[in-house]
Amino acid sequence: MSATAAQAVIGFEGPPDPDLVRIRDLVYQVAGIFHPDSKLGLLWERCGRRMKERKTKTFREYFECLTVKPNRRAELLALLNEITIGETCFFRNQAQLHAVRDLVIPTIIEAKAKLPIRRMRIWSAGCSTGEEPYTLSMLLLEESQRRLRDWTFEILATDLNERSLAHAKNGLYGSYGTRNLSAYYREKYFSPEGEQLRVQPVVQRNVSFSRLNLSDDARMTFMKSVDMVFCCNVLIYFDLASKRRVIQHFYNNLLPHGYLFLGPSESLYGVTEEFRLVHLPGATAYVKGERSLAGKKAS
Amino acid sequence: MSATTTTTKLLERVKDLKQIPTIPAVLAPLLRYLEQPVEDLDIQKVTDVIAQDKALAAQCLRMANSPLFGRFQKIDSLRTAILGLGFQRVSDIAMSCGVLNLTPKDTGGIDPVVFWEHSLGCALVCRHFARTISYPDPRKAYLAGLLHDLGIVVNLWSFPEEFRRVFERARSQRIPLHEAEQAVLGFTHCDSGSLLAENWDLSADLHAVVSLHHCSYESSEHAPLIAVVELADLLCRMSGLNYGYLENRQVNVLEQPGFAVLLQKFPALRDFDWARLTFELDSYMDEVHGLVHAIYRK
């Protein structure tokens, strides 16, 4: 964040611009992505880029572009694109991955203890250029030396965009996408290729890529018996009715103990009553189940 | 020796050692003032009390200049602070700075900075949560969040060796601190905090928060305040405002006793946006970290 942006948000120059706060609340209401005060500077920059494009000078004017002017839906999508741009990289959400490793995987193992087949199925819905499913594959490969010994696992990676999928299948990544990779993972699971890194076949073996439109109700019903769904910064582009349909599919396709993970600042508030928000160490997730009755004791 | 005897003996040790930190001179009158109705408060008196302690006054100014306290213009004197922020906020700030000086040098493996980050973070989350659900006294919620873990201060002073073991156990097993205390000491910081609350003559509601926030408290007349602290404390421990480690467990806020308690009083809580509150915790982390470092490592 630039110094100017930071000062505009929290500094001695004044409280956050109320119109920027209105844009923040609009983005949360429509897309479910929340910018806490500490991240308003990021929103300031992202709106700034769109405002330059639209030749608007104030947040108030830009708020109108997003709410009352013609093409407001297109402008909102353009802003959401700015908000999520550059979000994809390997090991992007460390806290979420640690929670998966330390808490979610043991919970799933326990839930499936009595089943004859030891298999874990993960769905990366909206996998973009493949960083997320490959990260999950590496995480599970590591765990297959420990808790997941004798288990098989598969990662279903789907996206709407053919070009993203082609990139994902190719498995070649530049420095930006691999910036969070530790030396350990870099050396163990990648091979250098010029200035880029190629994912090794052992990581790719467990990942299957396919094109899927999350609005395609017929095909969505085929993604059965899933233990975890990862759907980061994808639902933000859907209107409420479509979002609810997609969430219903996730609900139906997840096993009873299943987990749904969204982006780190993404929420399902007001979208579903069927998933319950749970707090994991340093992360949040959604689990299946009726909303708990007030007064029910913690187990 | 039975568990009850052990507990009694250890608690006796707290009393005998006379090591319970005395309430800092400045805080006693402040706490008394805070119990009065707002219209009876004398701003000049408070300024005078805080000004007696120069280090505290300087710390107050540092904190008063933080966006966490909602001020965006430079504050360079206690008078400006009170004029700009109001008496109540300056009192909150003075209390926060005052309690930050309570931990001993040898802290038994628990980093005092991390401990106070949790307490200050919890205070801010309590205040924000209280406001969001229209709890009638957000200031009290702030104080309750700030002071809820006073028992840890007692444990650090009175049982440094044992508390080191407690903390190591909690951190390595990633379990709640009070569970490790129960296993190692036979009592928790709620028990030892209760002694300090009594010694300091804290008001009944704050005493109840300190003594009961990890216990069964639903029948307490102060249950709603304890519930605000219980839930804020839990969210802090599951996020970056923890004690320096993340507990490895899954929590559903709706299944906590505090949720049921608050729902009776605040029906709107049924549709509360817990995800948003969780994201908002992020706003506090950097600033709380900077403030506690600035004050503690003076």
Side-chain angles (χ1 to χ4, degrees):
Chain A
M1 182 165 58
S2 72
T4 327
Q7 281 162 9
V9 176
I10 43 167
F12 296 129
E13 292 180 4
D17 186 319
D19 290 310
L20 181 62
V21 171
R22 286 168 79 197
I23 294 172
R24 180 261 297 273
D25 291 344
L26 175 75
V27 168
Y28 185 55
Q29 190 196 338
V30 175
I33 287 199
F34 186 73
H35 293 78
D37 287 359
S38 55
K39 289 182 185 156
L40 274 180
L42 287 173
L43 186 63
W44 188 94
E45 283 191 341
R46 286 149 178 181
C47 288
R49 274 182 230 142
R50 290 303 312 155
M51 285 160 70
K52 207 170 168 186
E53 189 88 10
R54 293 293 302 252
K55 299 188 172 49
T56 48
K57 291 211 169 84
T58 64
F59 288 124
R60 175 161 300 187
E61 253 180 282
Y62 187 57
F63 182 74
E64 284 173 6
C65 288
L66 292 166
T67 50
V68 290
K69 296 219 170 134
N71 296 328
R72 54 188 180 273
R73 179 74 195 161
E75 184 52 42
L76 187 66
L77 290 179
L79 177 62
L80 292 175
N81 274 332
E82 283 291 345
I83 286 171
T84 55
I85 205 162
E87 284 269 308
T88 308
C89 72
F90 288 95
F91 292 90
R92 182 167 62 98
N93 188 348
Q94 304 269 357
Q96 189 181 70
L97 293 166
H98 287 159
V100 167
R101 183 192 63 196
D102 298 338
L103 199 91
V104 175
I105 289 177
T107 305
I108 293 171
I109 290 174
E110 201 182 319
K112 290 183 144 180
K114 289 185 180 158
L115 297 181
I117 299 171
R118 298 180 151 205
R119 190 181 72 168
M120 198 167 289
R121 215 163 183 234
I122 299 178
W123 177 10
S124 171
C127 66
S128 184
T129 41
E131 289 86 341
E132 179 179 87
Y134 287 142
T135 297
L136 292 167
S137 177
M138 286 185 273
L139 184 84
L140 293 180
L141 281 169
E142 288 295 306
E143 285 306 293
S144 64
Q145 310 295 314
R146 305 167 59 216
R147 294 192 184 97
L148 291 176
R149 200 169 283 141
D150 306 327
W151 281 67
T152 58
F153 61 89
E154 60 176 322
I155 296 158
L156 314 163
T158 66
D159 202 275
L160 180 65
N161 188 314
E162 297 276 13
R163 277 174 57 195
S164 297
L165 286 169
H167 184 166
K169 285 179 195 165
N170 189 33
L172 192 60
Y173 295 93
S175 57
Y176 188 74
T178 55
R179 65 191 183 276
N180 277 358
L181 274 181
S182 66
Y184 175 82
Y185 283 100
R186 197 176 285 260
E187 279 161 30
K188 189 167 178 184
Y189 295 113
F190 290 82
S191 315
E193 205 168 297
E195 303 232 316
Q196 296 181 297
L197 291 174
R198 183 174 292 285
V199 180
Q200 289 188 3
V202 65
V203 179
Q204 292 183 299
R205 202 159 48 216
N206 306 299
V207 184
S208 61
F209 290 99
S210 57
R211 184 175 181 277
L212 177 70
N213 184 344
L214 296 182
S215 298
D216 182 343
D217 289 334
R219 285 201 59 212
M220 286 288 276
T221 53
F222 287 108
M223 309 295 288
K224 291 285 180 212
S225 306
V226 180
D227 295 288
M228 290 180 240
V229 174
F230 287 78
C231 186
C232 301
N233 297 336
V234 177
L235 293 170
I236 59 172
Y237 297 105
F238 290 72
D239 63 28
L240 185 61
S242 319
K243 217 180 264 188
R244 285 188 167 144
R245 261 206 325 275
V246 175
I247 291 294
Q248 191 59 49
H249 283 299
F250 289 159
Y251 188 89
N252 296 341
N253 292 331
L254 274 167
L255 290 164
H257 56 261
Y259 284 80
L260 168 62
F261 291 95
L262 303 178
S265 301
E266 214 181 334
S267 150
L268 285 184
Y269 180 70
V271 177
T272 174
E273 293 279 306
E274 293 192 288
F275 277 103
R276 289 182 291 136
L277 175 78
V278 289
H279 286 80
L280 306 174
T284 55
Y286 290 86
V287 295
K288 288 179 78 163
E290 294 302 315
R291 286 193 78 173
S292 305
L293 293 171
K296 190 184 159 198
K297 289 270 186 183
S299 55
Chain B
M1 195 162 55
S2 72
T4 321
T5 323
T6 312
T7 306
T8 314
K9 285 208 175 278
L10 283 167
L11 292 179
E12 279 301 317
R13 208 172 126 195
V14 174
K15 284 178 179 164
D16 290 348
L17 281 174
K18 293 183 182 157
Q19 275 191 342
I20 301 179
T22 53
I23 187 164
V26 174
L27 299 193
L30 266 182
L31 265 174
R32 274 203 304 277
Y33 282 131
L34 292 177
E35 293 302 325
Q36 295 177 35
V38 177
E39 56 273 19
D40 294 347
L41 299 171
D42 181 342
I43 290 173
Q44 190 55 47
K45 268 189 189 165
V46 176
T47 318
D48 292 346
V49 169
I50 299 173
Q52 282 169 21
D53 186 333
K54 291 210 162 37
L56 180 70
Q59 290 170 351
C60 284
L61 285 183
R62 168 74 179 80
M63 206 180 258
N65 276 306
S66 159
L68 287 178
F69 289 90
R71 190 64 187 170
F72 297 96
Q73 284 176 6
K74 190 151 175 61
I75 287 172
D76 52 12
S77 72
L78 276 177
R79 190 179 158 71
T80 330
I82 291 175
L83 285 173
L85 294 177
F87 165 78
Q88 296 180 353
R89 286 213 159 172
V90 174
S91 304
D92 287 349
I93 290 169
M95 276 300 298
S96 311
C97 295
V99 295
L100 250 65
N101 299 315
L102 285 174
T103 35
K105 293 242 180 307
D106 177 7
T107 52
I110 185 167
D111 182 351
V113 168
V114 166
F115 168 67
W116 288 117
E117 279 178 4
H118 170 70
S119 291
L120 182 58
C122 185
L124 290 161
V125 175
C126 280
R127 189 178 66 187
H128 178 63
F129 178 46
R131 281 185 188 144
T132 315
I133 63 170
S134 302
Y135 180 83
D137 194 349
R139 278 193 53 242
K140 179 69 83 175
Y142 178 90
L143 270 182
L146 184 70
L147 300 174
H148 76 285
D149 276 345
L150 273 186
I152 293 180
V153 176
V154 179
N155 292 349
L156 286 167
W157 279 102
S158 300
F159 313 104
E161 277 311 308
E162 291 95 326
F163 197 69
R164 189 189 305 277
R165 290 209 310 275
V166 166
F167 194 65
E168 275 167 12
R169 185 186 183 110
R171 187 162 48 187
S172 63
Q173 296 182 10
R174 298 178 63 190
I175 55 173
L177 196 61
H178 64 276
E179 287 180 21
E181 287 174 330
Q182 194 63 56
V184 174
L185 300 171
F187 63 92
T188 73
H189 59 271
C190 284
D191 302 311
S192 44
S194 180
L195 291 179
L196 188 56
E198 206 169 302
N199 186 286
W200 281 16
D201 199 21
L202 286 187
S203 59
D205 47 6
L206 291 176
H207 191 151
V209 167
V210 171
S211 316
L212 298 173
H213 65 278
H214 292 304
C215 306
S216 175
Y217 61 82
E218 290 91 326
S219 57
S220 162
E221 62 175 305
H222 306 295
L225 181 63
I226 308 173
V228 168
V229 174
E230 183 215 337
L231 298 180
D233 175 40
L234 186 63
L235 291 180
C236 288
R237 281 163 29 219
M238 297 303 288
S239 75
L241 291 167
N242 52 54
Y243 295 120
Y245 69 93
L246 280 164
E247 294 164 21
N248 193 34
R249 63 198 184 114
Q250 178 174 307
V251 169
N252 179 354
V253 176
L254 306 192
E255 291 174 352
Q256 300 304 308
F259 177 74
V261 167
L262 288 176
L263 191 60
Q264 288 173 13
K265 294 250 175 198
F266 309 99
L269 205 60
R270 193 173 290 281
D271 294 316
F272 187 73
D273 188 351
W274 293 100
R276 179 172 175 150
L277 180 67
T278 307
F279 302 149
E280 284 168 338
L281 292 187
D282 276 357
S283 298
Y284 299 136
M285 276 166 31
D286 289 346
E287 192 61 23
V288 163
H289 185 74
L291 273 175
V292 174
H293 269 263
I295 288 165
Y296 205 83
R297 306 215 192 279
K298 58 184 185 284

